[in-house]
Amino acid sequence: MKNYFRFNELGTNYRREILGGLTTFLSMAYILVVNPVMLTLQSIEDYPDELRMDYGAVFAATALSAAIGSILMGLIARYPISLAPGMGLNAFFAFTVVLGFGIPWQTALTGVLISGIIFVLLSLSGIREKIINAIPVELKYAVGAGIGLFITFVGFQNAGIITNDDSVLVGLGDLTSGNTLLAVFGIVVTVILMTRGVKSGVFIGMVITAIAGMIFGQVPVPDKIIGAVPSIAPTFGVAFDAFGNPGELFTGQMLIVILTFLFVAFFDTAGTLVAVAQQAGLMKDNVLPRVGKGLLADSLSIVSGAILGTSTTTSYVESTSGVAAGARSGFAAVVTGLLFVLSLFFFPLLSVVTSAVTAPALVIVGVLMASSLKNIDWQKFEIAVPAFFTVIMMPMTYSIATGIACGFIFYPITMSMKGRAKEVHPIMWGLGVVFLLYFIFLK
């Protein structure tokens, strides 16, 4: 096993890899509670229960998809990179596709499955890199930052910090409410932990918030810690059902949904692979070895996650915490995957995870994602306009897809008016037309 994972070449050992895998798991563990809350639309109190996904099934699908993805990445690509359902992609799935478009979650899972299959084909053919290169880097950064703002907005809303205001659309909530005060406490604690450089600050912040909530009666006390693994039957294989109704599946809206799942997964993975590889010292002459295998592992995890019953699975930048703890090989990712399997038995603990407990995680993840704004050249107006529209329209329209569409429409326009039309790739012209037609005929 040491030879397969190249321990000697990478200067690592079992102790460092196990510690790194554990650190990565603790840094990612918040997804086990945030993802089920997000996908089941727990923050929407008047949403019909019969239209919600099954909470226990989503928890099981989240843990299993993270385990499968992490183990595949560790064994196939041998990178210390772990995977799980992506933040931002789960928000798009729940709030844009299901809540906004009114598409049933069963059909939305089919969209994830189709995007995963396309992802596999693109990864095997090498076309994926060509598409990535066609989209300007500034818009890639803008998409990440926009999703960060959207997630933060959802976190504030879930906590009651931001509420509906008929006169100005949104306003500050009741800060004397027990639930809101608990969320504010959690945000402060998590900010302190992250500022101090605590590797698992987001996860530890959620734990402290939950404990405080139980002490002050804002969070129910669980009756047990370990219990039976919840059934995955309500979501398993449901992604295949929509193929029996082509009229519902092959619509203009679903095309936008599939393209958005595909687009965001593209750049989540590419950015994470490069970021983690650079920190681990795996880059050679600015080239990442075995990148094709990494992309294949990532795309296979999307397919398996959709079949299990969760939104798009992607590589997690939190893997850098494991690298900082010493991880250098895929063995660390395997360790993380096995820990996700063990987490299945701790489902009873999820009763302590309320909207106030998850809100700090959403806010802090949003802060981290918004850091990509620094990489955009704001001095060039032809770049600043599409990037800004991409970022701002996501939270303002409560739709990640709308933000992407606005940015992609304005990019060819501003570049052409600046006399830089030749720098716009034909793929960007095509995407701009597709999104424009989407607004004209489908919105």
Side-chain angles (χ1 to χ4, degrees):
M1 190 175 292
K2 286 184 178 180
N3 292 334
Y4 179 78
F5 288 107
R6 302 178 179 177
F7 277 15
N8 292 334
E9 177 184 333
L10 297 171
T12 189
N13 53 51
Y14 284 116
R15 180 182 176 279
R16 292 181 64 180
E17 296 300 305
I18 292 173
L19 179 60
L22 173 61
T23 302
T24 296
F25 171 76
L26 292 175
S27 299
M28 294 173 59
Y30 66 87
I31 197 61
L32 289 169
V33 290
V34 174
N35 200 51
V37 169
M38 189 80 76
L39 294 190
T40 56
L41 292 168
Q42 293 296 306
S43 62
I44 311 298
E45 294 182 358
D46 58 349
Y47 192 74
D49 288 339
E50 63 272 16
L51 299 181
R52 298 183 193 270
M53 298 181 74
D54 183 86
Y55 193 87
V58 175
F59 168 77
T62 300
L64 288 173
S65 62
I68 292 171
S70 299
I71 292 172
L72 284 176
M73 183 66 77
L75 294 179
I76 296 177
R78 290 176 288 183
Y79 290 146
I81 298 175
S82 296
L83 298 88
M87 290 296 296
L89 285 161
N90 54 10
F92 173 72
F93 182 103
F95 292 98
T96 298
V97 180
V98 177
L99 190 62
F101 292 167
I103 294 174
W105 63 264
Q106 297 89 336
T107 307
L109 281 178
T110 306
V112 176
L113 177 61
I114 293 174
S115 71
I117 293 172
I118 296 173
F119 204 175
V120 171
L121 297 176
L122 293 176
S123 298
L124 290 173
S125 66
I127 296 176
R128 180 180 183 274
E129 286 78 7
K130 295 181 180 179
I131 297 176
I132 289 177
N133 292 334
I135 300 174
V137 66
E138 290 87 355
L139 289 188
K140 297 173 186 175
Y141 289 130
V143 168
I147 292 175
L149 294 186
F150 180 79
I151 289 174
T152 298
F153 185 81
V154 171
F156 282 142
Q157 184 184 47
N158 290 355
I161 297 173
I162 292 177
T163 57
N164 176 65
D165 187 319
D166 292 336
S167 59
V168 292
L169 296 182
V170 294
L172 190 64
D174 180 9
L175 297 184
T176 63
S177 165
N179 187 69
T180 303
L181 282 173
L182 179 61
V184 171
F185 167 79
I187 292 172
V188 172
V189 168
T190 308
V191 166
I192 291 173
L193 292 171
M194 296 294 289
T195 303
R196 295 292 298 173
V198 177
K199 300 300 181 184
S200 304
V202 173
F203 179 74
I204 295 173
M206 290 178 64
V207 172
I208 294 174
T209 305
I211 293 173
M214 287 186 283
I215 292 174
F216 291 97
Q218 295 297 317
V219 172
V221 179
D223 54 0
K224 55 184 177 180
I225 297 177
I226 299 177
V229 176
S231 173
I232 201 172
T235 59
F236 182 76
V238 173
F240 293 106
D241 293 351
F243 288 111
N245 186 5
E248 177 182 320
L249 183 59
F250 297 106
T251 64
Q253 268 191 342
M254 278 303 296
L255 175 61
I256 298 297
V257 169
I258 293 169
L259 286 176
T260 302
F261 280 137
L262 193 63
F263 172 79
V264 179
F266 266 10
F267 306 118
D268 267 5
T269 302
T272 301
L273 286 176
V274 172
V276 179
Q278 286 178 334
Q279 182 177 349
L282 302 177
M283 299 285 284
K284 296 181 179 179
D285 299 323
N286 205 34
V287 174
L288 183 59
R290 306 185 305 282
V291 66
K293 292 182 178 180
L295 296 174
L296 178 60
D298 191 271
S299 56
L300 289 174
S301 72
I302 296 175
V303 173
S304 62
I307 294 172
L308 291 167
T310 185
S311 54
T312 305
T313 305
T314 187
S315 302
Y316 261 57
V317 74
E318 282 85 351
S319 301
T320 55
S321 65
V323 171
R328 291 296 180 271
S329 78
F331 188 81
V334 173
V335 171
T336 303
L338 294 176
L339 290 172
F340 271 113
V341 174
L342 288 177
S343 69
L344 284 166
F345 298 96
F346 294 89
F347 178 69
L349 282 178
L350 286 188
S351 63
V352 307
V353 183
T354 64
S355 59
V357 175
T358 57
L362 297 178
V363 172
I364 299 305
V365 170
V367 172
L368 297 175
M369 294 180 72
S371 65
S372 61
L373 286 170
K374 69 179 184 296
N375 299 311
I376 299 173
D377 189 351
W378 297 103
Q379 301 304 312
K380 295 180 179 178
F381 195 72
E382 67 274 21
I383 298 296
V385 168
F388 181 75
F389 283 168
T390 299
V391 172
I392 199 65
M393 292 302 285
M394 288 187 190
M396 292 189 70
T397 64
Y398 221 73
S399 169
I400 294 170
T402 299
I404 293 174
C406 290
F408 277 46
I409 290 171
F410 271 91
Y411 181 76
I413 295 173
T414 56
M415 290 292 284
S416 298
M417 292 301 99
K418 189 64 176 179
R420 300 175 61 184
K422 292 183 179 180
E423 298 178 37
V424 180
H425 197 283
I427 290 178
M428 287 302 297
W429 284 104
L431 290 174
V433 171
V434 168
F435 283 123
L436 183 61
L437 293 174
Y438 164 72
F439 280 123
I440 294 174
F441 295 107
L442 299 175
K443 290 297 285 183

